Amino acid sequence: MKALFGTMFGSAMLLASAGGALAAGGYIQASSEEDQIVATANKPQLVTMASTDAAKGIKNNKGVVVLDQTGTYFTVVGVQVGSRGGTGLVRLWFQTNGKDVDNSNCEQSVPTPDFTAVMISQGVGEYKKGDKVNTMISGSAPGIGLVYKKPAGEPAVPSVIFSAWKID
């Protein structure tokens, strides 16, 4: 009887754990293996992501991330800022449902054509099921933006890596 009770208790705990895992929020990591260079100064453009590297529930539609549940999400985007012939200032910010998110913009100077740097923007927000989150860039001059690199014998340096997950 003691062994049977122990087995039943263990099974119940396993099912409770699995049920909790199924109720947990989704996540996504998406990236791009393409340069995303500004063609027109000070004209915002969508940051695209052709690759969904990992996901549970949350969908990536070429850079527009569709959230699968109502709740609080943590979002972070890291970009490789650089040049394909220009110099100037690159800006990066979030949008929700096509509207700019307050206080989410950041900027990085590209002082020389061979310069690169990683720039990060992140945030926590309340969202509804079906909300769309994306990132935008602009540049103060053509020829700057987000750059992709593939070093020999090493993993790629994506132009963008975007992650989001539901935290409650």
Side-chain angles (χ1 to χ4, degrees):
M1 184 68 165
K2 192 174 189 181
L4 180 60
F5 177 73
T7 302
M8 288 174 36
F9 180 73
S11 297
M13 293 301 289
L14 204 83
L15 286 173
S17 296
L22 293 175
Y27 60 85
I28 191 165
Q29 178 174 303
S31 62
S32 177
E33 294 183 351
E34 297 177 339
D35 286 349
Q36 300 187 49
I37 302 301
V38 172
T40 304
N42 301 311
K43 182 179 178 189
Q45 65 187 57
L46 174 69
V47 174
T48 62
M49 300 174 293
S51 178
T52 299
D53 307 317
K56 178 181 146 195
I58 300 173
K59 304 289 185 211
N60 170 30
N61 183 12
K62 300 176 186 170
V64 178
V65 174
V66 182
L67 303 177
D68 67 330
Q69 298 177 29
T70 295
T72 306
Y73 287 79
F74 181 81
T75 54
V76 60
V77 61
V79 296
Q80 180 75 16
V81 176
S83 172
R84 294 294 184 238
T87 60
L89 193 66
V90 175
R91 291 187 182 90
L92 168 75
W93 65 95
F94 284 101
Q95 286 187 331
T96 301
N97 299 324
K99 296 181 181 174
D100 295 339
V101 174
D102 291 340
N103 304 318
S104 68
N105 205 348
C106 54
E107 54 187 31
Q108 173 65 56
S109 176
V110 180
T112 63
D114 62 342
F115 179 87
T116 61
V118 173
M119 180 167 52
I120 305 288
S121 187
Q122 65 183 41
V124 174
E126 294 289 326
Y127 297 94
K128 292 184 173 99
K129 180 179 180 174
D131 277 353
K132 295 176 173 88
V133 178
N134 62 272
T135 56
M136 301 291 289
I137 61 166
S138 70
S140 63
I144 57 176
L146 313 182
V147 296
Y148 169 81
K149 293 185 176 185
K150 179 61 180 101
E154 297 179 12
V157 180
S159 60
V160 58
I161 300 174
F162 176 98
S163 299
W165 59 95
K166 187 173 183 291
I167 56 177
D168 84 347

